[in-house]
Amino acid sequence: DAEAEALNRNTVMGGIAYLFYKMISLHPKAQRFFLLTHRTKGKVNGTVADWSVTENTQGYTQTELFEAIKKVCALYSVKVIDVFGEGVINTVFDVYKSDVPYSDDKTVTNRAFVDTDGVHPLAYGYLHGYVPLVKQALHMGTRK
């Protein structure tokens, strides 16, 4: 299809637009959702950086990328599950991070939201940081 071929799939936004186009083409009656992950921090040149305000190697912050993704979602009528903007997990604050790497802590009693890397959610993080927003979106998406 000409519309799909016109999208530049070598960019994040073009790839997402192509994904949505194909998803709608194959499943036009399905509810569509896109989940934006929690706020994260990581290391840039050995220094801890808040990705929501620190540019990546392509010159974009997590905030800028997610705002652009929201616009693509709106174009394709895809509902956004915004854990980034509405969720409780923000690993800029160490209180959300585990003191023990997930691979070392096999218990289900770990009350940390994410692994020591500050990125990957643990069971507690999914249960309390993701599930409420996913359930809310699914509930809203199925109302007629």
Side-chain angles (χ1 to χ4, degrees):
D1 177 87
E3 185 177 345
E5 293 306 316
L7 296 169
N8 182 353
R9 291 179 267 169
N10 295 320
T11 67
V12 172
M13 297 309 130
I16 291 171
Y18 181 76
L19 169 73
F20 293 161
Y21 178 84
K22 293 302 279 183
M23 187 170 38
I24 291 166
S25 297
L26 295 171
H27 308 284
K29 295 180 182 178
Q31 290 288 320
R32 296 174 295 277
F33 299 91
F34 193 93
L35 188 141
L36 299 174
T37 60
H38 61 277
R39 293 175 182 268
T40 59
K41 71 177 179 181
K43 290 198 176 186
V44 177
N45 300 325
T47 305
V48 175
D50 174 354
W51 290 117
S52 66
V53 294
T54 304
E55 293 180 353
N56 64 14
T57 57
Q58 300 300 310
Y60 299 103
T61 66
Q62 189 178 21
T63 302
E64 291 169 328
L65 282 171
F66 286 179
E67 288 304 313
I69 290 169
K70 286 180 189 178
K71 290 178 183 175
V72 176
C73 288
L75 285 173
Y76 288 88
S77 300
V78 174
K79 294 172 185 70
V80 174
I81 301 172
D82 193 359
V83 176
F84 179 80
E86 299 174 17
V88 297
I89 303 175
N90 183 342
T91 64
V92 171
F93 303 104
D94 286 337
V95 69
Y96 291 100
K97 289 177 28 180
S98 175
D99 294 331
V100 181
Y102 178 74
S103 59
D104 293 340
D105 183 6
K106 306 268 191 265
T107 70
V108 293
T109 59
N110 189 338
R111 298 248 188 240
F113 285 81
V114 296
D115 199 354
T116 54
D117 64 6
V119 176
H120 298 94
L122 299 170
Y124 188 85
Y126 281 119
L127 183 61
H128 296 284
Y130 280 74
V131 170
L133 293 171
V134 171
K135 282 176 71 172
Q136 178 184 10
L138 292 174
H139 177 71
M140 295 298 288
T142 57
R143 279 199 222 166
K144 300 292 178 209

